[in-house]
Amino acid sequence: SFRFEVHGKVQGVFFRKHTQKKGNELGLVGWVRNTEEGTVVGEAQGDPAKLAEMEKWLRTTGSPKSRIDRLEVRERKKIDSVAHRGFNVRG
């Protein structure tokens, strides 16, 4: 699992919805939400290979109208079981 924060033009461009869709496509669980600072934060849990795909997508692709300046990944760890159901948009 890992937590992430995406910087750039990532609000008002359907970034959360596309992140949720990508997470679901990859069979990951977690959440994503906007911050008051204009970034998008979230957490992804699941298969390590799929997490690597998600990280690459967050770093390089995002939603069609987004502009990703920087991805910060934090709290990368192995987990025995997932703590979420599905991949959800919060707030």
Side-chain angles (χ1 to χ4, degrees):
S1 78
F2 65 85
R3 288 186 178 246
F4 59 87
E5 183 168 11
V6 188
H7 300 258
K9 185 180 179 194
V10 292
Q11 290 191 9
V13 291
F14 301 100
F15 197 93
R16 291 175 300 163
K17 187 161 188 64
H18 280 83
T19 302
Q20 177 186 39
K21 182 179 177 212
K22 187 65 173 179
N24 285 327
E25 282 175 9
L26 293 172
L28 300 174
V29 298
W31 55 270
V32 60
R33 70 173 172 83
N34 286 340
T35 68
E36 291 181 6
E37 294 78 28
T39 63
V40 170
V41 295
E43 180 175 20
Q45 298 180 340
D47 177 79
K50 299 297 184 182
L51 286 170
E53 276 188 65
M54 184 67 160
E55 183 177 342
K56 181 179 179 186
W57 183 89
L58 288 166
R59 190 178 306 279
T60 62
T61 306
S63 65
K65 293 186 177 179
S66 67
R67 185 196 73 244
I68 300 163
D69 293 338
R70 181 165 46 103
L71 170 68
E72 291 180 43
V73 174
R74 304 183 186 97
E75 299 179 40
R76 192 187 307 267
K77 58 188 172 190
K78 275 194 160 182
I79 56 172
D80 294 325
S81 61
V82 297
H84 305 284
R85 283 179 188 252
F87 209 101
N88 301 300
V89 173
R90 293 183 178 174

